Amino acid sequence: MQARIFLYNAIDFAFSIYMFMIVCVVLGSWFPDIQGSKIMQFLRKMTDPYLQFFRRFIPPLGPIDISPVVAFFALQFIELFVKGILFR
């Protein structure tokens, strides 16, 4: 039973960290001065492959890119799906 709880919490933590990284990238995109920082480069390296998938299908609305919003909700759906499969 303890192993199931640990695994559930580990999955929850991993998805939460990745969602936080996406939020940081989105917020960081509003500040051009920090785009070249090592932290932003790392965050973009980790999140851009996932976000690029959605950018292929969702065009920007003028200067606004809504693909991260869709990607965020998709990630939440994936988390629920994984937890549903593993913890029925």
Side-chain angles (χ1 to χ4, degrees), residues 10-23:
I11 290 170
D12 191 50
F13 181 73
F15 275 94
S16 295
I17 292 294
Y18 200 71
M19 287 181 207
F20 180 73
M21 290 170 69
I22 291 172
V23 169

Side-chain angles (χ1 to χ4, degrees), residues 47-82:
T47 59
D48 273 356
Y50 178 69
L51 294 174
Q52 288 300 331
F53 174 79
F54 293 95
R55 288 183 180 130
R56 285 188 290 184
F57 304 107
I58 304 168
L61 301 173
I64 299 171
D65 181 12
I66 63 166
S67 61
V69 175
V70 176
F72 190 83
F73 286 117
L75 194 60
Q76 287 181 323
F77 177 76
I78 293 166
E79 178 184 11
L80 290 174
F81 181 75
V82 168

